[in-house]
Structure formats: C-alpha cells, structure tokens
C-alpha cells in the first residue's frame, strides 16, 4: 500500500502531490476535532500525553526529514556545508517568533493571551494559535515534494509521505485540543468541530506554496528544509512541551514525547 501511494504521488506534479498529502494531515485534524461529538471535557492526562507525543514527532521529523537532508545536500565542507542549514533554521525560528509576537492568539489553557491586543473572542484566538503552528508543518511537506520532483537525491517522495504520516499522527491531538475546549466553553458541537478542523486548513496552502517555490528555485531547498525545521522546533519548545507539563502529568507527557520521537524516527529511517 505504501509503495502504491509513493508511485502515484511520484507520477503527478509536486504541487498536486503536496496538496493531497497535506489534505490528509488536515483530515486527521478533523478526525480529532470530531471527538467533540462524543466528549465535552478533556481527560487532561491523556491530552498531556498526546501533546508530548506531538512534540516527539515534530522534533524527530525536524532532524530526520528536514535538517539532515538539508545538510547533506549542501555543497562545500566544514562550516561552509552547514551554513545553509544554520541560516534556514534561524530564519524559520525567527519567522514563528515574529508571528507569535504579532498574531493575536491564546494557548490551550486559556491562561495567557499573546500578540497584539484585539477585541476578538478567546475562542478565535485559540484557533489562531493552532493555525499558526500548522504553517511550518504544511510547508515542510510541500518543500520535500518540491525537492523530490526537482531530482534532489536527498529529498524523496517516500520521505515526504512519511513526514505527512507523522504530521497527521500528531494532528489528531491538536484537533482534540482545539474543539473540546471550545465545546466546554458553551459553543455548539457543530461549531466547535468546524473551528477545530479549520485550524489545519492552512496546511494545504502552505504545502502547495512550499512545493511550488522549491520546484521553481531548487537552490533554496536546503534553506527551505531547515527553515521548516526551525519553525517546527520553535513551536515545540515555546508551546507544545511547556503546555504538556503544566498540569503535573510530567512523566506521562515525557513518555509520550519519547514514543512520538521513536515512531517518527523508525518510520523515517525504515521507510524513507
């Protein structure tokens, strides 16, 4: 089945392949948001474990799927070889840092509003927070598809598919983490679901843009891969890990992180 998917995505344009893959990651978010039809409250230990899992997947994907290929495909030796990855990584982290300071949003625990002041409701701010975090995920998938289509050896369709699967796995708890709190605040199940799944709609957009950009400008590929990695790791360290540790379920969150890292590493190395 995996080989069939890879063969099919190899036969179509990178933008279309990225669209299909990131539509899958959006769909998994929607599945998570659909939990709102069955539950009104979150089981906090479960959510913290899954948030830890999300962090583990993102960290593993950042290295195995993005940073390592970015370094390997760069020309030169020593410092020269690693500079594109370093520059791209810093650029990705700064990009999310700036968004975090400008875009109004609120974290899952609803305890702190960040970004510029706005009269928007806290429910909208929660959706914006998750939406902001989904940008680098979609971008990472698209960049890999674009690189593979351009014939770069270090970027493969199989690797892009594995990355999409990993991101899809960690999008499940994100969908839950948006929709269920909205329901708990009194929003209808239908509207909670719609807003929960909408938080991932940015992924197909970012995925297509990433694939097109790399297809047109192949030399930016190592920078683009590292950019996505820097953005993802910033999200993990700035929010995902701290959020998973806030309610005292530190051991469960940590083991969730370990599990997510191992799963993503095994998938990437064994299949990618």
């Amino acid at each position: 089945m995996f080989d069939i998917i890879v063969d099919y995505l190899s036969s179509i344009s990178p933008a279309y392949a990225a669209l299909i893959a990131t539509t899958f990651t959006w769909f998994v978010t929607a599945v998570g948001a659909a939990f709102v039809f069955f539950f009104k409250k979150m089981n906090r230990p479960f959510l913290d474990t899954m948030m830890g899992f999300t962090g583990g997947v993102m960290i593993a994907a950042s290295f195995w799927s993005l940073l390592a290929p970015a370094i390997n495909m760069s020309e030169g030796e020593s410092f020269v070889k690693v500079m594109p990855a370093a520059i791209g990584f810093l650029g990705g982290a700064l990009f999310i840092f700036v968004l975090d300071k400008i875009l109004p949003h609120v974290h899952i625990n609803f305890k702190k509003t960040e970004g510029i002041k706005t009269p928007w409701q806290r429910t909208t701010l929660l959706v914006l927070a998750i939406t902001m975090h989904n940008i680098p995920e979609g971008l990472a998938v698209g960049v890999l598809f674009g690189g593979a289509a351009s014939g770069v050896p270090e970027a493969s369709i199989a690797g892009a598919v594995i990355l999409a699967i990993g991101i899809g796995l960690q999008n499940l708890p994100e969908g839950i983490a948006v929709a269920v709190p909205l329901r708990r605040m009194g929003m209808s199940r239908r509207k909670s679901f719609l807003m929960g799944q909408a938080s991932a709609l940015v992924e197909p957009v970012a995925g297509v843009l990433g694939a097109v950009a790399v297809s047109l400008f192949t030399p930016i590929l190592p920078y683009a891969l590292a950019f996505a990695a820097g953005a993802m790791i910033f999200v993990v360290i700035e929010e995902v890990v701290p959020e998973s540790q806030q309610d005292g379920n530190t051991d469960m969150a940590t083991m969730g992180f370990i599990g997510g890292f191992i799963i993503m590493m095994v998938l990437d190395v064994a299949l990618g």
Side-chain angles (χ1 to χ4, degrees):
M1 183 64 179
F2 179 79
D3 291 338
I4 294 175
I5 294 174
V6 171
D7 289 342
Y8 173 71
L9 294 178
S10 300
S11 67
I12 59 179
S13 72
Y16 187 35
L19 177 62
I20 293 174
T22 49
T23 296
F24 163 75
T25 62
W26 160 82
F27 174 76
V28 180
T29 304
V31 172
F35 276 54
V36 77
F37 291 109
F38 308 100
F39 306 99
K40 187 175 181 178
K41 296 182 179 180
M42 290 184 293
N43 181 304
R44 191 67 205 198
F46 170 77
L47 179 61
D48 288 343
T49 302
M50 294 306 295
M51 290 297 289
F53 178 87
T54 293
V57 169
M58 293 177 73
I59 291 291
S62 295
F63 176 75
W64 298 102
S65 299
L66 301 172
L67 275 178
I71 294 171
N72 290 335
M73 70 180 60
S74 299
E75 298 180 354
E77 300 292 337
S78 189
F79 288 104
V80 174
K81 186 175 183 63
V82 79
M83 285 310 296
I87 293 170
F89 188 86
L90 178 61
L94 290 176
F95 173 71
I96 298 298
F97 174 79
V98 172
L99 279 185
D100 192 61
K101 296 302 180 184
I102 296 176
L103 185 67
H105 63 283
V106 65
H107 297 302
I108 296 170
N109 55 30
F110 290 93
K111 295 179 181 178
K112 184 180 179 181
T113 300
E114 298 184 358
I116 61 175
K117 294 182 178 180
T118 175
W120 296 346
Q121 295 182 347
R122 294 174 74 81
T123 54
T124 302
L125 298 179
L126 174 61
V127 175
L128 284 175
I130 303 299
T131 299
M132 178 177 66
H133 297 168
N134 284 331
I135 293 174
E137 297 171 7
L139 181 65
V141 175
V143 164
L144 274 180
F145 275 111
S150 300
V152 178
E154 291 82 3
S156 67
I157 297 296
V161 172
I162 291 300
L163 180 60
I165 292 173
I167 289 175
L169 288 175
Q170 60 93 30
N171 274 0
L172 183 70
E174 286 189 358
I176 298 173
V178 177
V180 174
L182 296 180
R183 173 58 180 160
R184 191 180 65 233
M185 294 175 63
M187 188 175 289
S188 69
R189 295 181 188 275
R190 179 175 178 274
K191 190 171 182 180
S192 298
F193 166 75
L194 291 175
M195 294 190 72
Q197 60 82 31
S199 66
L201 288 176
V202 70
E203 289 193 4
V205 177
V208 171
L209 289 177
V212 171
V214 170
S215 298
L216 295 177
F217 307 103
T218 304
I220 72 169
L221 181 56
Y223 297 92
L225 289 172
F227 182 94
M232 289 174 66
I233 288 182
F234 183 95
V235 168
V236 173
I237 301 304
E238 195 270 341
E239 178 169 343
V240 175
V241 170
E243 179 65 36
S244 71
Q245 304 278 331
Q246 283 194 5
D247 285 273
N249 302 305
T250 56
D251 289 341
M252 297 180 67
T254 301
M255 293 310 299
F257 183 98
I258 297 299
F261 188 98
I262 290 173
I263 289 175
M264 188 64 211
M265 177 180 65
V266 169
L267 286 175
D268 206 310
V269 175
L271 299 177

